[in-house]
Amino acid sequence: AAGRLPSLASQFLRRQQVLQLYRKILRAIREVPAEQDRRYLKDWAREEFKRNKDATEEDAIRMMITQGNMQLQELQRALKLAKS
């Protein structure tokens, strides 16, 4: 049933996933040593999430969550390298 509006439960779960991802990204950004970089990344994350907040297409949302997780992992990797 493509194009069918997702059930309220799956919308709720998706929202939880998005919020969780957002919090993880902000938490990772706090580890960035340079304040200027932190501010830039925080603004970027806020804009990115705000720009997509009205998305309703399940597949698109799933893809954005996947991309967000990949970017988070990339950031965490970079932070780990910077510390070593």
Side-chain angles (χ1 to χ4, degrees), residues 16-76:
Q16 294 307 105
Q17 271 185 302
V18 170
L19 289 173
Q20 195 176 24
L21 175 60
Y22 187 58
R23 281 194 291 266
K24 281 181 187 169
I25 288 172
L26 290 182
R27 215 170 291 135
I29 289 171
R30 273 188 234 132
E31 307 270 314
V32 173
E35 199 227 331
Q36 195 177 355
D37 293 340
R38 270 198 313 271
R39 198 176 313 133
Y40 169 79
L41 287 167
K42 206 181 286 180
D43 288 346
W44 166 80
R46 193 181 300 121
E47 282 309 305
E48 202 63 21
F49 277 83
K50 200 184 288 178
R51 192 163 53 89
N52 295 307
K53 77 176 171 55
D54 295 324
T56 53
E57 180 56 47
E58 276 290 292
D59 291 338
I61 295 170
R62 249 196 307 276
M63 196 178 75
M64 287 185 266
I65 290 173
T66 301
Q67 279 180 323
N69 275 309
M70 281 163 37
Q71 288 166 324
L72 173 61
Q73 286 168 357
E74 195 61 39
L75 177 59
Q76 289 168 332

